[in-house]
Amino acid sequence: MKKFKDIFVLSTAFLMFSCSSNDKAKNDGGTKTDPVEKEKPNSNYKPAFVGQTRVNGVTTNTAFQASVLTSELTNPWGVKSLPDGRLLVTQKTGTMRIVTPAGVVSAPITGLPAVNASGQGGLLGLCLDPDFASNQMIYWVFSEAVSGGNISSVAKGKLSNDEKTIENATIIYRSSPANASNLHYGGRILFDQTGNLIVSTGERSVLETRPLAQSLTASLGKVIRITKDGKAATGNSTFAGAGALPELFTYGHRNPQGLAVHPITKEIWLSEHGPRGGDEINRLQAGLNYGWPIITYGIEYSGEPIGTGIQQKEGMEQPVYYWDPVVSPSGITFYAGNRIPEWENNLFVGCLSGMHIVRLVIKDNKVAGEERLLASENQRFRDITQGSDGALYAVTDQGRLYKIDKK
């Protein structure tokens, strides 16, 4: 088996990677290897089932390449493909940019509500209206400074015909309660199969708000399901207890920065930052509790256990997969193309502290293999999406936009 190798091209804006080619490439994920994680875990916690962590590695057999379309973005956070193949990108500081397939970057798109870009805040995830080709509507998440502190907010607006501004930008939803913390905003957004918005929010990190991930009267540490106007969507689960918020979809999350819809099952999957250990991939089911901060495979940064130090509890869901040490999973996407057979219906995860892209082979809602891509680039991969051309596109905190496709 040949190892993944870099091919350097004499261009300031273009870099290619090649993976070993094999005529026997199959839809089984590729060549099996030992687990990719070699570092010692932070705790002696045991997984709840075989394959929940440190599953066997896989290596892609089909030759592929990754090219840097541009390095001119400023702290990009979200990326989505426009119908014509260009890429719409959010920048943490509060503007959007459009990038052509040739790597030409537009002037900043203005007209958005002000963001609080301190700490982990700013202009975060985005999605396009299912009817974007006719209505030009965009939806996004951002951190907003309000009375009492900061919150995760959702807004919508129309991309102007000249693509220079967002028209009639309107804030349709605000999380609660506000807190002075500038951490753990969550921040991804997508449309589900019913045309409603799914939004992830963080629990804001600090000890006073951490327990609110379990509170049904607060929208911190949640995934919510709302209409295009920001109201609770019809068909949401009904939670017991006075004051339970009608927009809640799932709860018990820490800092969920990735959302994706499975191409076949149409179920929603989520990536979530753990503390010291305990990064998670979850398959979301409406009305369920995903455990934070009561159960976790992570520990405090100080090394102490979190709460009572338990990993399983009746009535709380187990992650499909977790990492210890962490990789800091951010944006995720499923590969719905067929240009690279081994990748069909695989989950791709942009990793920050891991500084690579994770490929997870998913079979029967479990992880059957893990591969780490582009690790030699030393980039913090913030988001990844599939383009209208079938290729994958990823943005990094350092300002790069990559195209990843069959060679």
Side-chain angles (χ1 to χ4, degrees), residues 183-204:
L183 306 173
H184 292 194
Y185 288 102
R188 293 296 173 193
I189 183 171
L190 55 71
F191 275 94
D192 69 8
Q193 296 303 298
T194 66
N196 290 297
L197 289 163
I198 303 293
V199 183
S200 66
T201 69
E203 37 73 286
R204 309 304 311 287

Side-chain angles (χ1 to χ4, degrees), residues 22-188:
N22 188 325
D23 291 336
K24 297 181 180 180
K26 300 177 292 183
N27 286 315
D28 62 358
T31 303
K32 300 296 186 292
T33 68
D34 291 334
V36 295
E37 183 56 73
K38 309 298 184 185
E39 298 296 322
K40 181 180 178 180
N42 289 287
S43 71
N44 60 1
Y45 297 156
K46 305 301 181 184
F49 53 85
V50 175
Q52 194 181 24
T53 190
R54 298 187 182 230
V55 73
N56 284 341
V58 292
T59 299
T60 301
N61 290 314
T62 303
F64 67 93
Q65 64 186 24
S67 56
V68 179
L69 298 185
T70 182
S71 299
E72 298 178 6
L73 298 168
T74 303
N75 296 121
W77 215 93
V79 58
K80 285 291 180 287
S81 178
L82 295 169
D84 62 6
R86 295 178 299 159
L87 285 305
L88 180 63
V89 179
T90 58
Q91 297 185 134
K92 184 177 181 292
T93 52
T95 57
M96 298 182 186
R97 310 288 284 270
I98 294 175
V99 185
T100 72
V104 178
V105 181
S106 74
I109 298 170
T110 60
L112 288 75
V115 307
N116 179 1
S118 65
Q120 295 174 359
L123 181 58
L124 307 175
L126 80 160
C127 65
L128 306 182
D129 192 286
D131 297 320
F132 176 84
S134 59
N135 65 21
Q136 299 285 100
M137 291 297 295
I138 302 169
Y139 300 77
W140 64 93
V141 183
F142 68 105
S143 56
E144 184 183 12
V146 298
S147 176
N150 305 311
I151 58 174
S152 299
S153 297
V154 182
K156 67 178 182 180
K158 179 180 181 294
L159 181 64
S160 62
N161 290 335
D162 62 10
E163 299 181 337
K164 293 182 179 180
T165 189
I166 299 295
E167 298 175 342
N168 301 317
T170 305
I171 299 171
I172 61 172
Y173 182 84
R174 289 182 167 98
S175 64
S176 63
N179 186 272
S181 169
N182 60 10
L183 306 173
H184 292 194
Y185 288 102
R188 293 296 173 193

